[in-house]
Amino acid sequence: MAQGRAVRVFLWIVAGLVVLIVALAILAAAFQKELERFALRQTVPDVAFDAAPKPAVPDYGDDAGWAALPGRPGFAAMVPAGTSKEPPLDVDIFFVHPTTYLKSARWNAPIDEPDAARVLDSAVLKNQASAFAQAGAIYAPRYRQAAFGAFFAGPERGDEAARALDLAYGDVERAFAAFLDRRAADRPFVLAGHSQGSRHLLHLLADHVAGSALADRLVAAYVVGWPVAVDSDPAALPGIDVCRTATDTGCLISWQSFADRPDAEDGFHRAFLDRTAERPTLTGEPRGDEAMLCTNPLSWTTGTETVPATANRGGVRWVIGSAPLGEPIPNLTGARCTREGILALTEPPGGDFATYLLPGQNYHVYDIALFYETVAANVRARAEAALAAMGGAPDPATGAEPAAAEPADEPGQPDQDETDQGGSDRDDTGQNQPGQNQPGQTGPGL
């Protein structure tokens, strides 16, 4: 009898634990957004922006201000194992890196902050920038990036977060001006970035490329991993449309990768969508319920049709440190764009592709790695199309030789159209100077 009583007590304990676990699961689901917001806000710098130490201003006339430059050996020059790099085309790539400063000690990181610089050099350049660098000459500036927590500051500290982002953007503006000075003025160029880097590129397009002579030499802008409002943002970029085919040029590309969850009753990844709805577009107004731009990197179209994994030339595992890139993995996953503008992965991979998975099955870190070979091939295809249109390469469709081009300016010297396109209008406090060009108002983001 004693044994039976013990068994019953044990079963009651098990039943109680099951009920507790189910209750906690229900609470976690009910308060998912609130729990996620709470966790993310713990990363916000605990020092006031004005009291935080200000990093030294980068010098982009010095090679030390650049993480990657043409001809410099390093991680950006790597290619996946088992592949070889084709001869570079006569194009330049301006790559702006994502957030690599994850601490909360300050609002903006020095360009030589050890941990942030190590991740940039041995992870971002290798796993992201190298995919673009296969097409031409790559320039990747170091800049005083906003801290990770700046994107989750909330309205009570939104002004400080905006100032941190403005300070970072001012560096990117000055780096872009130096980029224009360093390159031959007649060469087409690619803009590429991820996450925070894409945010800065979007503003760079609005402030210095759209409506200028530079737009005529833009191959494409790959603003990956940042929520681009599908209508409002392109409308603020005169002459720069959304890319709709694999060889469109002078246009805009963006996607954000999540696991596909077709059974979700309230749409895809509601916490992420709600949080990013607060971010301003280039007009200064919040995106709200406007869809995000989603370019499917397996078809380079913006429709909602599913593209099978067989279209994926190969993803590459994310590698940190001195290890080389591994071999591409063909058919890694298919993808489709949802009505909200999320790129839903039809076969979301696990293993090495889930190590840095973010809440809500967010494959943010792997946005480029999932489609590495497809991205590299597309950058080259668009560059070839741009060169053909500008009279600098055989037409990739017909093989016809171009007509003779006009003499170019001296290499490394800007033409008259480019001399006033870059430069920062901000002082070292992150504030805009009175009467100067200001980017669209920004707020907390990812």
Side-chain angles (χ1 to χ4, degrees):
M1 181 174 296
Q3 184 177 1
R5 185 180 302 112
V7 170
R8 286 195 297 273
V9 170
F10 173 77
L11 292 176
W12 276 110
I13 292 173
V14 171
L17 289 173
V18 169
V19 170
L20 178 61
I21 292 170
V22 170
L24 290 173
I26 292 172
L27 285 172
F31 295 98
Q32 177 185 354
K33 289 188 290 186
E34 289 74 11
L35 290 171
E36 182 179 320
R37 284 177 185 272
F38 174 79
L40 291 172
R41 287 191 181 182
Q42 305 316 300
T43 66
V44 177
D46 52 12
V47 61
F49 181 86
D50 288 328
K54 299 299 183 293
V57 179
D59 178 5
Y60 295 113
D62 185 340
D63 286 359
W66 299 84
L69 284 170
R72 177 193 289 178
F75 292 110
M78 283 189 169
V79 296
T83 69
S84 59
K85 189 172 183 178
E86 296 184 61
L89 300 171
D90 291 330
V91 299
D92 300 311
I93 298 97
F94 185 73
F95 178 86
V96 185
H97 69 79
T99 307
T100 62
Y101 181 67
L102 307 180
K103 300 176 183 177
S104 58
R106 58 173 80 215
W107 284 92
N108 293 87
I111 64 171
D112 58 354
E113 201 284 328
D115 292 333
R118 183 176 65 253
V119 174
L120 167 58
D121 293 339
S122 68
V124 172
L125 293 182
K126 182 193 303 183
N127 297 281
Q128 294 184 338
S130 65
F132 299 95
Q134 293 189 42
I138 190 161
Y139 299 74
R142 301 183 187 277
Y143 67 98
R144 292 172 295 174
Q145 60 183 289
F148 179 76
F151 296 98
F152 309 103
E156 65 277 4
R157 304 193 71 187
D159 179 66
E160 292 176 287
R163 292 173 68 186
L165 285 165
D166 279 348
L167 191 149
Y169 174 61
D171 283 358
V172 174
E173 283 185 299
R174 292 187 303 102
F176 186 63
F179 164 74
L180 297 178
D181 286 341
R182 284 172 172 260
R183 57 188 286 278
D186 62 328
R187 284 163 63 98
F189 64 95
V190 174
L191 296 179
H194 186 249
S195 195
Q196 179 176 168
S198 289
R199 180 266 177 202
H200 298 317
L201 284 180
L202 195 62
H203 286 273
L204 196 72
L205 284 167
D207 294 341
H208 300 292
V209 179
S212 78
L214 285 174
D216 296 332
R217 293 189 282 276
L218 175 65
V219 173
Y222 294 79
V223 288
V224 183
W226 183 260
V228 177
V230 68
D231 296 318
S232 299
D233 283 335
L237 302 172
I240 299 177
D241 198 0
V242 170
C243 296
R244 303 186 190 281
T245 75
T247 54
D248 283 351
T249 59
C251 50
L252 190 63
I253 296 164
S254 183
W255 71 86
Q256 299 180 93
S257 311
F258 285 77
D260 196 349
R261 296 199 314 199
D263 58 341
E265 295 181 359
D266 59 348
F268 285 80
H269 315 288
R270 184 53 52 191
F272 171 83
L273 292 169
D274 289 349
R275 184 177 70 247
T276 58
E278 302 167 1
R279 298 175 185 162
T281 67
L282 289 174
T283 68
E285 296 298 320
R287 181 176 60 81
D289 60 1
E290 182 179 347
M292 299 176 292
L293 171 62
C294 178
T295 310
N296 191 325
L298 298 182
S299 63
W300 303 105
T301 62
T302 57
T304 57
E305 63 277 0
T306 298
V307 182
T310 52
N312 193 336
R313 295 188 178 208
V316 174
R317 292 183 177 88
W318 187 272
V319 179
I320 296 179
S322 60
L325 288 171
E327 292 187 6
I329 306 169
N331 310 325
L332 180 62
T333 182
R336 65 186 184 92
C337 290
T338 73
R339 58 183 174 81
E340 298 96 339
I342 279 175
L343 184 70
L345 308 176
T346 56
E347 294 96 2
D352 292 338
F353 289 94
T355 304
Y356 304 108
L357 204 60
L358 298 182
Q361 296 292 296
N362 185 347
Y363 279 79
H364 180 72
V365 172
Y366 307 99
D367 280 327
I368 294 168
L370 289 163
F371 311 102
Y372 185 100
E373 287 291 280
T374 307
V375 170
N378 182 255
V379 177
R380 191 172 187 89
R382 289 188 199 275
E384 289 174 341
L387 285 166
M390 297 174 193
D395 188 317
T398 66
E401 291 294 327
E406 295 183 4
D409 295 330
E410 288 296 317
Q413 298 298 319
D415 69 8
Q416 191 61 40
D417 293 329
E418 289 188 340
T419 53
D420 297 327
Q421 297 300 328
S424 174
D425 297 327
R426 293 168 185 74
D427 61 21
D428 195 38
T429 67
Q431 301 282 17
N432 291 290
Q433 293 297 303
Q436 299 295 322
N437 184 41
Q438 299 185 18
Q441 178 63 33
T442 186
L446 178 62

